Amino acid sequence: MICVVCGGVGAARMLAGLVQVVDPSSIVAVVNTGDDTELHGLSISPDLDTITYTLAGAVNPETGWGLAGESWQAMSALERLGGADRTWFRLGDRDLATHLYRTGRLREGAALSEVTAELAAAFGLPVRLLPMSDDPVRTVLGTAGGELSFQEYFVKHRHAVAVQAVRFEGAEAARPAPGVLEAIEQATAIVLAPSNPVVSIGPVLAVPGVAEALAARRADVVGVSPIVGGAALKGPADRLLVELGGEASAAGVARLLSGVLGTLVIDEVDRHLAVEVESAGVRAIVTDTVMSTPARARRLAEAVLAAPAGAGGG
Ligand code: FO1
């Protein structure tokens, strides 16, 4: 069994590569829920949905989130009623069905992990998706203008505001969802997807017990750097790393995650950083990491799974 610790779009592409090279039913994805939000009374889990839609071959290929061929009648009608204040977070008509279903089931008392399994089955996924926790954990970003929820920062402000601090509300009291610790303990390989290390991997590590379980398997944990040539392929990971006192480089990622990471796969353009990664106590593997096509995602997945046991014992 392979355990993959996941954020959103980058992780979805990594998983789409992995299912091409191993039996998909042998993959357990542990997914960030710090991005989750409640809007219009609906429970929205963007990273879980991005992964579900991608693996189902149903994701919008232009955005990497939401459904392909989506229509927007509900948003247009809502915009007429409430303006942009109500519609900055765009929910397509078919995507809305996912949130209606999730919200209804949670109100009936189902756990998020149960609803996630139901949605994955409805979309025909062979991969097992687990939210990191059934308890609410919310990523909150501190800015000069006050605190913002993750989606306010990411979508409403288009991540164009400087961040001074990040906290994961609810994390201290959260328990790993059923199956999360078992997946980490029993996996033959553990992959940290090329997700934002601060706001996608960070919340998963903040759930008590998860970082400890990963640290105990550190030699078998292989990450893929989401920073290539000093820049994030998508989103604000590069700026967040710098704003929070780190460095926007593969070496900066290695230093931040060195407690749980045995090996870091870095891009060819960052070959010169391999020595610096290794001086953080993390073995470096250099290959093409940009998953611009399914064939490239497949090659990266092969390289990740071929990685020898990394540094750190355990
Ligand atoms: N991202 C945007 O940039 N704008 C949106 O309006 C938006 C809506 C949205 C709706 C459902 C969903 O599952 C994801 C959505 N996303 C949107 C993506 C999401 O904000 C981010 O990709 C993740 O939270 C970051 O991993």
Side-chain angles (χ1 to χ4, degrees):
M1 180 261 293
I2 294 167
C3 175
V4 188
V5 178
C6 299
V9 175
R13 292 195 176 134
M14 178 87 254
L15 284 166
L18 284 166
V19 297
Q20 298 179 61
V21 297
V22 296
D23 175 1
S25 67
S26 71
I27 298 176
V28 179
V30 174
V31 182
N32 170 40
T33 55
D35 293 14
D36 288 13
T37 190
E38 289 75 36
L39 285 170
H40 323 297
L42 297 175
S43 298
I44 301 167
S45 295
D47 286 354
L48 284 166
D49 291 346
T50 295
I51 290 171
T52 300
Y53 296 166
T54 302
L55 291 177
V59 80
N60 179 336
E62 274 139 46
T63 55
W65 54 266
L67 285 160
E70 189 55 283
S71 59
W72 301 92
Q73 301 223 23
M75 280 294 109
S76 300
L78 187 58
E79 181 128 21
R80 282 195 296 276
L81 297 173
D85 265 7
R86 298 267 166 193
T87 55
W88 56 267
F89 195 79
R90 314 275 304 154
L91 297 169
D93 296 332
R94 286 167 58 228
D95 186 33
L96 269 169
T98 302
H99 314 307
L100 289 169
Y101 181 77
R102 176 183 294 112
T103 307
R105 291 289 291 126
L106 291 174
R107 295 247 169 100
E108 286 165 14
L112 181 60
S113 51
E114 292 175 75
V115 186
T116 300
E118 290 163 7
L119 285 165
F123 277 87
L125 298 200
V127 170
R128 188 161 168 228
L129 291 196
L130 299 177
M132 64 190 197
S133 178
D134 281 335
D135 303 315
V137 177
R138 297 291 176 264
T139 299
V140 178
L141 299 111
T143 75
E147 288 198 320
L148 299 173
S149 73
F150 179 82
Q151 297 300 344
E152 284 173 328
Y153 163 73
F154 195 86
V155 175
K156 197 174 194 179
H157 294 275
R158 296 168 199 263
H159 45 78
V161 281
V163 170
Q164 299 169 339
V166 175
R167 64 185 181 89
F168 306 114
E169 196 168 272
E172 299 85 351
R175 292 150 301 171
V180 168
L181 295 182
E182 292 82 351
I184 295 169
E185 282 157 16
Q186 291 161 19
T188 49
I190 302 167
V191 180
L192 292 199
S195 300
N196 187 317
V198 179
V199 290
S200 293
I201 302 295
V204 185
L205 300 182
V207 176
V210 173
E212 293 80 354
L214 287 169
R217 298 290 320 272
R218 185 172 172 258
D220 301 308
V221 180
V222 183
V224 178
S225 175
I227 305 288
V228 174
L233 291 173
K234 198 170 191 298
D238 45 6
R239 266 176 296 122
L240 278 175
L241 280 166
V242 173
E243 286 163 358
L244 296 172
E247 188 185 286
S249 73
V253 173
R255 281 193 287 273
L256 190 68
L257 298 177
S258 63
V260 296
L261 206 54
T263 302
L264 185 64
V265 179
I266 67 175
D267 196 79
E268 290 285 358
V269 304
D270 293 320
R271 181 175 285 281
H272 61 287
L273 294 174
V275 173
E276 216 184 312
V277 168
E278 299 216 332
S279 66
V282 177
R283 183 194 302 265
I285 288 182
V286 184
T287 190
D288 280 330
T289 64
V290 181
M291 295 180 283
S292 47
T293 64
R296 280 167 167 259
R298 181 195 170 106
R299 277 199 295 277
L300 177 61
E302 281 166 352
V304 165
L305 294 181

